[in-house]
Amino acid sequence: MDINVLLFDRFESLDAFGPVEVLAKVENYNLNYYSYHGGMIVSDQNTIIITKPFSEMNKSGICLIPGGQGTRGLVDDFEFIEALKDIVIHASYCLSVCTGSALLAKTGLLLYRYATTNKLAFNWVCSVSNGVLWSKKARWVVDDKYYTSSGVSAGIDMALGFIHDRFGLEEALRISNRIEYVWNQDKDNDPFAIAF
């Protein structure tokens, strides 16, 4: 199974690489990094990643959409959103982290579905699509093939939740122990939602 990590300039590094650390521990999951045009992408933390263009992707895999400051401009980039929509439609599963859900929502594929996002950016993300059933309290949300998580580190919890759903609790706990991570297993309760 291909894991297609969709990157763009000023993505949030942990949004992408937190889930990547989890997903990379699954045998037969192949990690690939893509951007719209391919080439060099720079995260908000100045991490440089060399990517392949969307056009070279096997779209039937699992797509991972991080958030970050770069999402603010991309929600209004019609060509990018249309290309993203095509990828997500063909994907077996779609996982978004933080404000990556704004990009996903902009495609229209979350219409009338449950989703969540970073609580610090909650109002902005909701303004992108008011047809989404946004959950302000959830750590992560699952609706059919769509997984959306709250901010930054919540992507790790969501990825472990995804592993739990696919392979069972024992495998999710094996991975969380291997990466020495204390997994927040309660997807319906984001402790950071209280502050906002």
Side-chain angles (χ1 to χ4, degrees):
M1 176 76 77
D2 284 327
I3 307 293
N4 299 321
V5 186
L6 312 184
L7 300 179
F8 45 85
D9 284 325
R10 299 201 68 191
F11 75 92
E12 182 71 26
S13 296
L14 189 60
D15 284 5
F17 297 117
V20 159
E21 182 68 27
V22 171
L23 298 169
K25 299 293 186 278
V26 178
E27 191 176 352
N28 299 322
Y29 272 10
N30 305 307
L31 287 156
N32 304 283
Y33 300 90
Y34 293 94
S35 63
Y36 186 61
H37 294 293
M40 187 175 73
I41 294 294
V42 183
S43 80
D44 213 27
Q45 292 72 35
N46 290 319
T47 303
I48 298 171
I49 304 293
I50 304 302
T51 64
K52 295 179 278 190
F54 282 179
S55 60
E56 294 182 11
M57 187 186 306
N58 172 10
K59 298 173 188 171
S60 66
I62 299 165
C63 70
L64 172 64
I65 309 168
Q69 289 299 315
T71 60
R72 302 282 177 155
L74 281 179
V75 293
D76 296 318
D77 185 328
F78 177 78
E79 289 185 3
F80 176 87
I81 295 298
E82 286 299 298
L84 176 62
K85 182 176 182 177
D86 181 59
I87 291 166
V88 174
I89 285 171
H90 291 94
S92 301
Y93 296 96
C94 180
L95 286 61
S96 75
V97 182
C98 193
T99 56
S101 62
L103 301 177
L104 185 55
K106 191 72 172 190
T107 67
L109 297 173
L110 288 182
L111 198 62
Y112 309 124
R113 293 189 180 277
Y114 291 96
T116 196
T117 190
N118 187 323
K119 304 311 182 280
L120 279 170
F122 198 83
N123 291 337
W124 173 71
V125 175
C126 290
S127 74
V128 170
S129 176
N130 59 11
V132 179
L133 305 174
W134 295 107
S135 173
K136 195 163 194 172
K137 190 169 173 54
R139 184 74 170 158
W140 78 92
V141 170
V142 182
D143 191 328
D144 192 40
K145 72 176 188 177
Y146 302 97
Y147 283 67
T148 56
S149 80
S150 188
V152 195
S153 65
I156 303 172
D157 293 329
M158 176 192 67
L160 287 165
F162 177 77
I163 297 302
H164 171 267
D165 294 346
R166 305 280 74 74
F167 304 107
L169 179 60
E170 185 177 335
E171 179 65 2
L173 291 175
R174 182 191 71 80
I175 292 173
S176 66
N177 287 332
R178 187 168 173 194
I179 66 174
E180 298 188 3
Y181 180 75
V182 179
W183 178 27
N184 178 351
Q185 297 182 42
D186 187 355
K187 68 181 179 62
D188 299 317
N189 185 24
D190 183 356
F192 297 98
I194 298 168
F196 308 107

